Amino acid sequence: MPLDSEEFYRIQKLPPYVFAVTNEMKARMRAAQLDVVDFGMGNPDGATPRVIVSKMAEAARNPKNHRYSMSRGLPNLRLEICRRYERNYGVKLDPETEAISTIGAKDALAHLLFAVIGPGDAVVSPNPAYPIHQYGVIMAEGHACLLPMPTPAEFLNRLEDLYRTSSRTPKMILISFPHNPTTQCVDLDFHKAILALAAKHGTMVVHDFAYADICFDGYKAPSILQVEGAKEYAVEIFSMSKSYNMAGWRVGFCLGNAKMIRALARIKSYLDYGIFQPLQIAAIIALRDCEEETKKICAVYQKRRDVLIEGLHRAGWHVERPKGSMFVWAPIPERFKNLGSLEFSKLLLEKALTAVAPGIGFGPLGEGYVRFALIENSHRTRQAMRNVKRFLNA
């Protein structure tokens, strides 16, 4: 039987990548010398702080750092992330048993799911959601249970109903706030309610905290580990990608429940030898000395948010101002709603030279929205908003 006669087992579970449609269209337009302003992918454009780069370069020149590293991460790196949690959240963590470094947040989440989820285990998460939150579960043979999240409070209500009515008790609750793509934010009481359900039913909780430091207008996102007793049920995934402009460096962490950390460490011991050691050494410096840089990076995103929102409002496109994340989640203008998010995104690209992410790419309940990533500077953002205004008012 020829290899192309059937799809591979896990690959057939993954749908075609919706974003590929707009990405290919954008590439064709740029090849035709059209000036597309790209808000599509949440890929930070800012430079990593110079002191971090310098430390990495210095460490890379040392041949001792060219060997395999530790899959759990250097002891000093785990120590520094624990110190940061104590400084910023008042949370005490044991760097030996309650912290592990990972090759970015995606690695942490995907391998954690492989470690702790079995065939048919239900994992509840909000919809729409970052794709790995759904498909990481599916690849791990779990059952992805997607609950609508018009608001965090409504998600909680639906979760409580699920526990009351479902014959399959959730094995895990997987959440992320500030939320990608909807930008919704929560307070500590929300996390307390989640953990109360977890304690009552013996459910694991995973909080993807990728946008921990990207918060605006005085809002500070809480860590789920701030809740008393959280470490009995929960882990939190923290990434250096957005906080420190280190997306390409792939440095993340999983922190909290020792049993879950131990399972992740065991899986990783079979799958990788850890992050390139000079990157880990530089990440130690980032965590130790670059807290002010995270504030500057956040200020850049806030300015871009304001320019984008003001431009959309001038164009007659009324969108809420998010309190966190590096995104703006925009309902499709009324007269274009019948197109759906993919066709509207293609139209916006063609007519306004503005690339966005279609909401359907984040799950069925993302339909009716598009997502702007705050990755273009203020000048380019104003240029795009002028194009959008001309398109909408034509």
Side-chain angles (χ1 to χ4, degrees), residues 2 13 37 47 57 90 119 143 151 218 250 274 286 313 326 343 354 366:
K13 296 184 176 188
V37 183
H143 170 67
T151 66
R250 311 313 302 133
H313 287 181
M326 59 179 289
E343 290 304 314
T354 299

Side-chain angles (χ1 to χ4, degrees), residues 46-237:
T48 305
R50 188 173 300 174
V51 65
I52 304 172
V53 177
S54 297
K55 190 64 180 179
M56 185 274 294
E58 175 192 320
R61 285 190 287 269
N62 186 341
K64 290 181 180 179
N65 292 323
H66 299 171
R67 306 176 72 188
Y68 293 129
S69 189
M70 301 171 64
S71 67
R72 292 198 306 138
L74 294 175
N76 281 344
L77 179 57
R78 286 181 275 119
L79 178 62
E80 286 303 329
I81 189 62
C82 292
R83 285 175 171 169
R84 187 183 200 267
Y85 261 71
E86 187 162 11
R87 283 196 310 269
N88 288 11
Y89 307 109
V91 172
K92 292 189 177 182
L93 293 160
D94 182 341
E96 286 301 312
T97 61
E98 296 174 336
I100 185 172
S101 73
T102 60
I103 307 171
K106 265 191 174 183
D107 168 64
L109 183 56
H111 286 158
L112 179 66
L113 289 166
F114 272 108
V116 303
I117 293 301
D121 284 345
V123 178
V124 183
S125 58
N127 191 266
Y130 188 47
I132 190 67
H133 290 184
Q134 177 180 352
Y135 294 106
V137 175
I138 290 169
M139 285 188 281
E141 303 289 307
H143 170 67
C145 182
L146 308 176
L147 292 186
M149 189 178 67
T151 66
E154 182 59 25
F155 173 76
L156 261 180
N157 289 339
R158 290 173 186 264
L159 183 58
E160 289 167 350
D161 288 344
L162 181 72
Y163 274 110
R164 279 195 298 268
T165 60
S166 177
S167 58
R168 181 168 14 197
T169 301
K171 186 84 170 183
M172 176 186 287
I173 303 167
L174 172 54
I175 53 176
S176 179
F177 295 98
H179 188 251
N180 175 16
T182 71
T183 78
Q184 294 188 72
C185 296
V186 298
D187 56 19
L188 197 59
D189 284 341
F190 176 89
H191 288 320
K192 288 178 180 176
I194 289 285
L195 284 164
L197 286 171
K200 183 177 179 180
H201 299 281
T203 307
M204 294 178 285
V205 179
V206 177
H207 182 223
D208 182 350
F209 206 22
Y211 302 95
D213 299 294
I214 312 302
C215 301
F216 313 128
D217 306 326
Y219 171 71
K220 182 178 179 181
S223 162
I224 199 168
L225 299 179
Q226 288 175 263
V227 179
E228 187 176 354
K231 289 190 290 182
E232 294 179 28
Y233 301 96
V235 293
E236 187 158 80
I237 295 170

Side-chain angles (χ1 to χ4, degrees), residues 306-318 382 385 389 393:
D306 291 343
V307 170
L308 179 65
I309 292 290
E310 288 159 14
L312 290 172
H313 287 181
R314 280 196 295 272
W317 190 350
H318 295 288
R382 290 188 185 97
M385 292 305 99
K389 184 177 181 180
N393 294 331

Side-chain angles (χ1 to χ4, degrees), residues 22-37 345-355:
T22 49
N23 287 343
E24 288 167 10
M25 184 176 172
K26 177 177 63 185
R28 288 197 303 272
M29 293 175 72
R30 284 183 164 167
Q33 306 300 308
L34 294 169
D35 186 15
V36 174
V37 183
S345 296
K346 289 161 65 176
L347 191 63
L348 203 61
L349 189 50
E350 179 188 353
K351 302 295 186 183
L353 299 179
T354 299

